[in-house]
Each structure stands twice: as structure tokens, then as C-alpha cells.
Amino acid sequence: MPFALPDLPFPYDALKPYLSAETLEYHHDKHHAAYVTTANNLLTDSGLTGKPLEDVVKQSYGVNVPLFNNAAQHYNHSEYWKSIKPVGGGKIPGALEKALLQTFGLIEKVKQELVQAGSTQFGSGWAWLAVKDGTIAVVKTGNAENPLLTGATPILTIDVWEHTYYIDYRNRRADYLKAFVDNLINWEYVAECYDAAVK
Ligand SMILES: [Fe+2]
């Protein structure tokens, strides 16, 4: 099969108390897995078989809506798992921290803008840090859309679909987002993506 569900990069209970094992079991094993299965089924006869995932996402957008939705959700979730880790938050690697301070003034401001973007995304969607032409911005997108569609490179991916937080936070999306920006972000991975994007 062209696309494969990546393993969760940590044990299911490793993000407690911020995200429960039950949330991660549903989110990874049911939701993400279903996007992968459906994308693989829809890829047949799409004319895009054999292309890298990012190309399938960009080339199916506006052309093959069901394939785009499922391939983009596979891409977005794969980035989401890498954006988080147990005992996340904390120190931000040097070059990334410098770039964030240049753009936002304070790290606290970056976090506030991410919480604001995720909280105000109406319905299902995503909040991101994305790099375009060397500049970092906070971005929000609806449903399966992502920054690749505007020629930007995602470096931090935050899922704000209800299936991400409803078991643990019920309707309190902002509380999930606050926990996310303070305690879950894998800044080392974000820095790797930033370095690659500005090379
Ligand atoms: Fe999700």
C-alpha cells in the first residue's frame, strides 16, 4: 500500500495528564488509520499513484476532493504526532528561538497567537507555525487544509478537530490548546523543520 500509518512515536499513556491513552488510541488507531485506508483506496485510478504524499495533497486539492481530504488528513496527522512529545515544551533550540523572537517579540506571544488561532478556527481544522519566504507565521486552516496549499512549509502542527480533545477536555478547546503550547510541543522537531525550511 502506498501510504502507511506511522507508529505513534511514544506509548499511549505517555502524554498524561494532557492527553489520555483513550484519546490517543482513538485518534491514532481509529481516526488517523481510517484516513490512511481511505486515501489508499481513493488513490487507485486517481492518476497520482506513486507520487509522494505532499504531491498527492497539493495536486488533488480542488480536483479530487475525497482524495485530498484523506491524503491531507494523513499528512496533517503524521506531522501532528511529530509535533508533540512527553515532557514537551521547555527550551527552544537557538536559531528557532531567535527567529520566533524576531517575529513575535516574546515566546509567550507565539503561544498566545497559537491558542487564539486554534480557538477561533470555526469548526474542524488546524493551527500551525508555517514558514514562507523565510518568515514564520501563525496560520489556521479549516477541515483538512494545510499550509502546503499556499506554498508555505508547516513546522508545527496542532489538531483542533473535536476528536483530538473531546474525551479529555469536552468542549474546552482553549484549555487543550493552553496545555498543548506549554507542555506538549516537541520544539526539537519544530527546529529541525524550521532549519530545513530556511536552508
Ligand atoms: Fe485528528
Side-chain angles (χ1 to χ4, degrees), residues 27 77 159 163-164:
H27 199 179
H77 282 89
D159 193 342
H163 65 224
T164 307

Side-chain angles (χ1 to χ4, degrees), residues 27-43:
H27 199 179
H28 177 272
D29 299 4
K30 307 284 185 203
H31 292 280
H32 188 174
Y35 295 129
V36 173
T37 303
T38 309
N40 281 332
N41 290 337
L42 294 168
L43 197 58

Side-chain angles (χ1 to χ4, degrees), residues 4-197:
L5 179 67
D7 288 337
L8 198 64
F10 33 75
Y12 290 100
D13 62 357
L15 302 183
K16 289 199 297 190
Y18 309 112
L19 290 172
S20 64
E22 187 184 2
T23 288
L24 294 179
E25 281 161 11
Y26 272 91
H27 199 179
H28 177 272
D29 299 4
K30 307 284 185 203
H31 292 280
H32 188 174
Y35 295 129
V36 173
T37 303
T38 309
N40 281 332
N41 290 337
L42 294 168
L43 197 58
T44 315
D45 302 328
S46 69
L48 297 172
T49 311
K51 299 211 179 223
L53 176 58
E54 293 183 23
D55 292 350
V56 172
V57 169
K58 288 189 265 193
Q59 292 173 25
S60 62
Y61 183 59
V63 177
N64 183 335
V65 174
L67 176 59
F68 167 77
N69 284 337
N70 286 279
Q73 285 293 79
H74 173 37
Y75 173 88
N76 298 350
H77 282 89
S78 299
E79 289 303 307
Y80 176 72
W81 304 128
K82 290 187 280 191
S83 292
I84 56 182
K85 68 169 192 175
V87 200
K91 187 152 173 45
I92 302 175
L96 173 63
E97 185 181 40
K98 196 174 157 203
L100 289 169
L101 290 172
Q102 265 171 4
T103 305
F104 298 93
L106 294 169
I107 297 304
E108 204 49 42
K109 185 81 167 48
V110 184
K111 294 182 182 179
Q112 279 171 9
E113 287 201 22
L114 286 167
V115 170
Q116 176 73 6
S119 302
T120 56
Q121 171 53 45
F122 185 76
S124 297
W126 301 81
W128 314 79
L129 282 175
V131 175
K132 190 172 183 185
D133 303 326
T135 303
I136 306 181
V138 171
V139 176
K140 60 181 176 179
T141 59
N143 298 315
E145 293 189 359
N146 65 40
L148 294 176
L149 305 173
T150 56
T153 305
I155 63 170
L156 169 69
T157 304
I158 310 178
D159 193 342
V160 299
W161 282 58
E162 280 188 351
H163 65 224
T164 307
Y165 61 85
Y166 213 81
I167 292 170
D168 299 319
Y169 297 86
R170 296 301 170 189
N171 61 328
R172 294 176 291 112
R173 186 190 284 187
D175 288 353
Y176 152 68
L177 285 163
K178 283 181 198 130
F180 189 105
V181 297
D182 285 335
N183 304 291
L184 290 174
I185 297 178
N186 181 349
W187 284 115
E188 289 75 23
Y189 179 69
V190 180
E192 256 177 55
C193 294
Y194 172 72
D195 292 346

